[in-house]
Amino acid sequence: MSIWWSLHLRREAASVPLARRLLIGTMETAGVDPEVSYDLSVALTEACANAVEHGGNTPYGGSSEAYRVTAYLDGEKCRIEVADSGPGFSRAHEIRPARADAEHGRGLCLIRELADHVHIGAKPGRAGTVVSFDKILKWTKDPSLLTA
């Protein structure tokens, strides 16, 4: 089975639960194990929150009001990409665990813990950051998509 969807969302906090609910609904309908769905939905939430918070000002002084979420369920793997048009992620900025008392800075570390593979970078020729991650899927015995 292969399913994919893509959303173009405004950089507003209200867009984050929309993307999360769509992902959970897609995986539930396809018959993905709820624990795997939950892990991916939390990782997606963190990636979207980063795009909303940091994906705004472009390196040229402009502003981007949107970001894109794309999800691919293909065979035994789910791949998710969250792309913004902000200033980009500096390679010099190393992802380190946040201090225990920090209120921010845990998102990318959390994504790395929940997903099997994570890539953070930019698409060639485009401003902004792309956070992509994937996870091997486990399936329930009675997927809704197959019984409908």
Side-chain angles (χ1 to χ4, degrees):
M1 174 186 322
S2 184
I3 301 170
W4 74 271
W5 49 260
S6 186
L7 299 171
H8 187 79
L9 300 166
R10 291 187 61 75
R11 272 188 47 249
E12 298 172 352
S15 69
V16 177
L18 172 66
R20 181 178 175 137
R21 283 192 299 266
L22 182 58
L23 179 67
I24 289 172
T26 301
M27 290 200 276
E28 180 181 301
T29 301
V32 175
D33 179 83
E35 288 182 29
V36 173
S37 295
Y38 179 78
D39 287 352
L40 284 169
S41 72
V42 171
L44 173 63
T45 299
E46 293 297 332
C48 289
N50 281 344
V52 167
E53 184 173 346
H54 303 292
N57 296 326
T58 67
Y60 311 108
S63 175
S64 173
E65 295 300 320
Y67 67 102
R68 181 175 306 276
V69 176
T70 306
Y72 307 89
L73 278 76
D74 192 18
E76 298 298 315
K77 182 168 53 170
C78 178
R79 179 175 192 84
I80 297 171
E81 291 183 1
V82 178
D84 65 48
S85 299
F89 193 84
S90 168
R91 296 306 274 164
H93 181 81
E94 186 178 326
I95 299 171
R96 294 180 293 253
R99 294 186 341 245
D101 61 345
E103 291 186 27
H104 299 285
R106 293 188 174 92
L108 294 175
C109 292
L110 187 56
I111 293 168
R112 286 200 169 157
E113 290 298 317
L114 295 169
D116 294 329
H117 178 264
V118 179
H119 179 266
I120 301 165
K123 291 205 176 200
R126 288 185 50 201
T129 299
V130 178
V131 176
S132 62
F133 51 95
D134 56 50
K135 189 167 183 82
I136 300 298
L137 299 174
K138 295 178 188 171
W139 304 95
T140 60
K141 293 181 182 182
D142 185 24
S144 302
L145 190 62
L146 300 178
T147 59

